[in-house]
Amino acid sequence: MRIDIISALPNLLVSPFSDSILKRAQEKGLVEVVIHDLRKFSTDKHRKIDDYAFGGGAGMVMTIQPIASAIESLKAERDYDEIIYMTPDGNTLDQKMANQLSLCGNIIILCGHYKGIDQRARDLFITKEISIGDYVLSGGELGAAVLADSVIRLIPGVLNDETSALTDSHQDGLLAPPVYTRPADYEGNMVPEILLSGNTRAIEEWRMTQSYSRTKERRPDLLNNK
Ligand code: ADE
């Protein structure tokens, strides 16, 4: 899979892909993440990428020219399954969306800033608009990193133990059960005995029950979707 991220602040995207699982996924050749500086595509002599909004009002709008140039130059090189715009008015990211995107070959993620991008850029190029939640970030970069992380960890081979993605919260529509590690007794606070029993079937059942009750208590909306 190849993920091209177009950003006005590319430095913000360096560290999320330079460590741990996302770094290893790239080293193993399972994903290629390429970050593009939007300003490099601006034909303005000061490399401007924004302008005042027609009709007035506070806040700048990202212009269509650099966005169009960046996307067109990428599309000239290869086909893309999705061209995604990160925006607080997009569809909220969930595990189902991440699962679907993990099946793609190539995707572009465009990060917004200011009051957003010229609507014509959305109409002409964007195939999916994604928000990472009902709050406003200073720009789309952190959202793009969240989206890319949620997708990359689902690519087969990225996680060492493949089953660990399958047992994540949300993967089966339920929250994950509590987990414990050593010591079994921390200052009198004991690990549930069943986990020490060695009875894998009983442990599996306990985890399922815990998943269900945790979901019912914290996220009953998830159970209504089932
Ligand atoms: N840009 C600003 N806020 C955002 C959000 N909540 N999700 C995605 N991109 C954003």
Side-chain angles (χ1 to χ4, degrees):
M1 178 177 204
R2 178 177 160 125
I3 304 177
D4 289 276
I5 308 182
I6 304 171
S7 159
L9 293 172
N11 286 341
L12 276 179
L13 286 158
V14 174
S15 119
F17 299 102
S18 308
D19 258 306
S20 188
I21 290 173
L22 302 191
K23 181 185 183 195
R24 260 180 281 129
Q26 293 169 87
E27 285 170 351
K28 285 194 211 162
L30 298 170
V31 66
E32 192 180 354
V33 179
V34 188
I35 296 161
H36 305 272
D37 182 354
L38 182 63
R39 278 180 205 282
K40 289 201 176 139
F41 294 90
S42 171
T43 52
D44 178 78
K45 64 175 183 287
H46 302 297
R47 298 221 179 267
K48 226 166 94 87
I49 52 162
D50 61 340
D51 213 327
Y52 295 100
F54 277 127
M60 304 295 274
V61 176
M62 288 169 74
T63 55
I64 190 167
Q65 179 275 315
I67 294 170
S69 290
I71 293 176
E72 274 162 0
S73 78
L74 288 171
K75 281 172 74 174
E77 296 289 323
R78 66 195 67 74
D79 289 331
Y80 285 91
D81 300 299
E82 299 288 357
I83 303 179
I84 299 163
Y85 172 48
M86 300 309 300
T87 174
D89 59 8
N91 295 316
T92 310
L93 176 63
D94 61 12
Q95 195 62 34
K96 187 172 162 210
M97 229 186 256
N99 284 335
Q100 281 165 354
L101 288 170
S102 74
L103 303 175
C104 288
N106 303 313
I107 60 173
I108 294 175
I109 306 177
L110 172 66
C111 305
H113 270 273
Y114 318 115
K115 284 283 161 205
I117 64 174
D118 189 305
Q119 182 59 42
R120 292 165 295 182
R122 294 168 80 152
D123 298 340
L124 286 171
F125 300 111
I126 302 301
T127 62
K128 253 190 192 353
E129 302 191 323
I130 298 181
S131 161
I132 63 159
D134 289 343
Y135 42 81
V136 178
L137 303 165
S138 307
E141 282 75 12
L142 298 182
V146 168
L147 172 64
D149 185 314
S150 72
V151 170
I152 293 169
R153 66 198 305 286
L154 296 172
I155 298 171
V158 167
L159 297 180
N160 292 334
D161 176 0
E162 281 235 42
T163 59
S164 74
L166 297 177
T167 55
D168 282 347
S169 277
H170 298 294
Q171 197 55 260
D172 57 2
L174 294 175
L175 301 183
V179 291
Y180 297 86
T181 186
R182 280 184 282 200
D185 177 352
Y186 175 70
E187 297 178 356
N189 296 276
M190 303 300 293
V191 165
E193 227 174 280
I194 184 118
L195 297 177
L196 310 173
S197 69
N199 182 342
T200 31
R201 212 189 144 132
I203 291 172
E204 214 28 66
E205 264 170 35
W206 178 86
R207 286 190 170 137
M208 202 55 217
T209 311
Q210 290 286 320
S211 259
Y212 186 81
S213 54
R214 192 170 259 202
T215 309
K216 193 169 172 202
E217 184 188 315
R218 299 182 182 186
R219 294 291 306 276
D221 58 301
L222 295 177
L223 296 175
N224 297 337
N225 292 338
K226 277 173 97 70

